[in-house]
Amino acid sequence: MGSVDEAPDHNDDAMQRKLQKELNAASVPIVLLAILARAREPLYGYAIAREIEQRSDGAAVAKAGTLYPVLRTMAANGLLSSEVEPSVAGPPRRYYQITAEGRRTLELWRRAWRRTRDFVEPFLDAEEDEHD
Amino acid sequence: MTELRFTRIADYLSALRKALHGADPALLQDALYDTEAHLLSELGDQASDPAAVERACARFGDPQEVAEAWRDNEARVIQALQPAPRASSPKGDFMHRTFAVVTDPHSWSALLYMLLSLVTGILYFTWVVTGLSLSAGLSILIIGVPVFLLFLASVRALALVEGRVVETLLDVRMPRRQAPEAPGTLWQRLRGWLGDRRTWLTMLYMILELPLGVAYFSFAVTALSLVLGLLAAPVAGWLFGLPMTIGVGGWIVPGWALPLCWVLSFAILLGTLHLVRWIGRAHAKLARAMLVQP
């Protein structure tokens, strides 16, 4: 992996971002569902973003701004329910809560994710071993 | 990679607005609303501290990146919502184009909107006229200001409600959040509302909804009674021996021609539904033009 660090290339940078975006499209919904499944109370957007940031030690791959369209879509598809409540400070907040449908989807997603991870990892490990 | 720095929330929002240029206005409104709510939540009472705003905006993401996320997401949703059979049916198919309107749920929901618009039209019209005249009448007293303020807020809320109705029944994307507004004192907000073209267009829409609602309702009821009457006439003729007459002169329709009533009934229904779809699309365009910020 050292070669990437030695030659920081703008093209590589852009490529990396593009690939990350593709992967995020699949992983961000799982993360959001998982957070809301564990939460004991409805959460609003910023609270979710903060949770992600804290739990990933600042190494979060998805920017907070990209979470909102996903939240909205999942609510429109019935995976989340949402309601707006006035807040003491600032504008009213939209609180999200996972639905039964959302929990079912999360379970399916979890299985698919684990299978994908188990499928990919051995090949990447083998490739790294060859390089060593 | 040019890293843009934002020291004011308004600057970030306008950069996001620029990055979303050409996107659906309803999507734009939702994106700006969520972004502003997030930044305000994160900043708390540091909203006027340039360094804090800069950090929060950097964490939120590059406007281009955020805009892309919204666009990609919308594209995926539209693709997922697109019913599969529509793509497979040939567009030029005359039979399909003529008769599909009967089985399309959107024709019936548009018909429902036309029936409903009389009620909403009366409500909106009454509300706007009452609110405006009450505010004008009370303006000589100090109480006129809060009344007018409440009235303006209610108009903005009703615009969102009407948008939800239009999206559900007329199948056009409308905002799902309130339009974002500049933060500030009550006075600044009031000035923002007064200067907003959309506030006045919304009131105009609400007033227009009454005559339109009357026209829509009359049309829908007339067409529906015609269809149902023609459907029922032969049955009444056979069951109770009631003759069917046409016109004031009372020309009695001969018994053999009665089944033709059903054909006529279906033809009128078909024509009505086509017209309803057309009116629905036109009305949705009107609602988008007047209720959604360009």
Side-chain angles (χ1 to χ4, degrees):
Chain A
M1 297 298 279
S3 60
V4 177
D5 294 337
E6 280 161 30
D9 190 7
H10 283 307
N11 272 338
D12 270 9
D13 243 31
M15 194 68 191
Q16 174 104 40
R17 267 207 306 281
K18 193 167 176 298
L19 289 174
Q20 190 65 61
K21 210 179 87 184
E22 298 286 324
L23 287 176
N24 284 358
S27 57
V28 165
I30 310 181
V31 171
L32 293 177
L33 279 180
I35 288 176
L36 286 165
R38 287 158 44 102
R40 267 178 240 103
E41 52 193 356
L43 294 177
Y44 62 103
Y46 172 61
I48 299 173
R50 201 178 43 197
E51 166 103 8
I52 290 181
E53 205 158 296
Q54 278 168 1
R55 291 175 60 89
S56 49
D57 267 340
V61 291
K63 291 280 191 186
T66 60
L67 305 178
Y68 287 93
V70 183
L71 282 173
R72 211 174 46 107
T73 309
M74 291 202 296
N77 292 343
L79 303 184
L80 306 177
S81 63
S82 82
E83 60 186 78
V84 178
E85 268 173 41
S87 85
V88 191
R93 290 168 176 167
R94 181 164 289 266
Y95 284 86
Y96 291 96
Q97 201 167 13
I98 192 165
T99 60
E101 171 90 26
R103 285 187 195 277
R104 246 198 325 280
T105 308
L106 174 63
E107 196 40 49
L108 296 175
W109 225 322
R110 192 199 309 271
R111 264 182 254 163
W113 176 264
R114 297 242 154 100
R115 278 173 54 186
T116 308
R117 187 192 60 190
D118 294 346
F119 164 65
V120 175
E121 282 294 327
F123 292 99
L124 293 182
D125 287 348
E127 196 225 20
E128 258 175 22
D129 287 346
E130 270 171 40
H131 279 288
D132 286 344
Chain B
M1 179 75 200
T2 50
E3 194 72 38
L4 287 165
R5 294 174 185 284
F6 301 95
T7 49
R8 290 188 323 154
I9 293 180
D11 292 344
Y12 187 89
L13 290 179
S14 70
L16 182 61
R17 183 191 288 275
K18 214 178 283 167
L20 275 169
H21 177 77
D24 192 311
L27 177 151
L28 179 67
Q29 183 170 322
D30 287 352
L32 292 174
Y33 178 94
D34 279 349
T35 302
E36 192 187 11
H38 177 100
L39 292 175
L40 287 175
S41 291
E42 171 155 7
L43 289 162
D45 47 8
Q46 287 184 296
S48 50
D49 176 7
V53 172
E54 194 180 324
R55 277 196 302 277
C57 290
R59 265 203 299 280
F60 194 72
D62 187 66
Q64 290 294 338
E65 190 184 343
V66 175
E68 230 169 89
W70 280 95
R71 281 185 205 272
D72 289 355
N73 191 66
E74 188 80 353
R76 263 202 305 280
V77 175
I78 287 170
Q79 239 170 24
L81 290 179
Q82 205 71 237
R86 191 176 286 180
S88 63
S89 72
K91 265 212 152 150
D93 188 342
F94 175 75
M95 293 295 278
H96 179 81
R97 266 188 311 171
T98 311
F99 293 108
V101 73
V102 180
T103 54
D104 188 345
H106 290 135
S107 317
W108 299 97
S109 66
L111 191 62
L112 181 64
Y113 181 86
M114 292 179 76
L115 291 171
L116 199 69
S117 60
L118 179 64
V119 182
T120 56
I122 290 172
L123 285 177
Y124 293 160
F125 185 88
T126 318
W127 191 252
V128 169
V129 170
T130 312
L132 278 181
S133 39
L134 206 59
S135 307
L138 292 175
S139 63
I140 47 165
L141 305 171
I142 190 72
I143 197 176
V145 177
V147 165
F148 187 54
L149 211 66
L150 277 176
F151 169 63
L152 282 183
S154 76
V155 164
R156 290 168 69 85
L158 282 174
L160 189 70
V161 171
E162 172 69 9
R164 304 314 302 149
V165 175
V166 166
E167 176 166 333
T168 312
L169 295 180
L170 298 182
D171 190 32
V172 186
R173 176 80 160 79
M174 294 291 279
R176 291 160 202 177
R177 307 272 194 283
Q178 285 257 8
E181 54 187 86
T185 62
L186 202 61
W187 186 240
Q188 282 169 323
R189 270 201 211 178
L190 178 63
R191 285 210 349 221
W193 286 354
L194 288 178
D196 190 352
R197 206 163 53 93
R198 226 181 44 117
T199 307
W200 306 106
L201 280 177
T202 301
M203 284 186 210
L204 188 61
Y205 175 90
M206 288 167 79
I207 287 173
L208 263 180
E209 183 80 354
L210 181 63
L212 285 177
V214 170
Y216 293 164
F217 183 86
S218 323
F219 169 74
V221 167
T222 311
L224 278 182
S225 354
L226 206 55
V227 167
L228 290 177
L230 283 169
L231 206 61
V235 180
W238 291 322
L239 285 185
F240 311 114
L242 294 171
M244 184 188 173
T245 56
I246 290 178
V248 190
W251 180 66
I252 297 173
V253 179
W256 57 265
L258 284 175
L260 285 180
C261 288
W262 283 349
V263 179
L264 193 61
S265 166
F266 185 69
I268 293 176
L269 177 71
L270 210 59
T272 303
L273 287 179
H274 274 290
L275 207 56
V276 163
R277 281 307 287 267
W278 186 81
I279 293 173
R281 274 194 289 269
H283 187 88
K285 262 190 200 147
L286 179 78
R288 271 180 71 107
M290 300 185 80
L291 299 179
V292 186
Q293 207 149 34

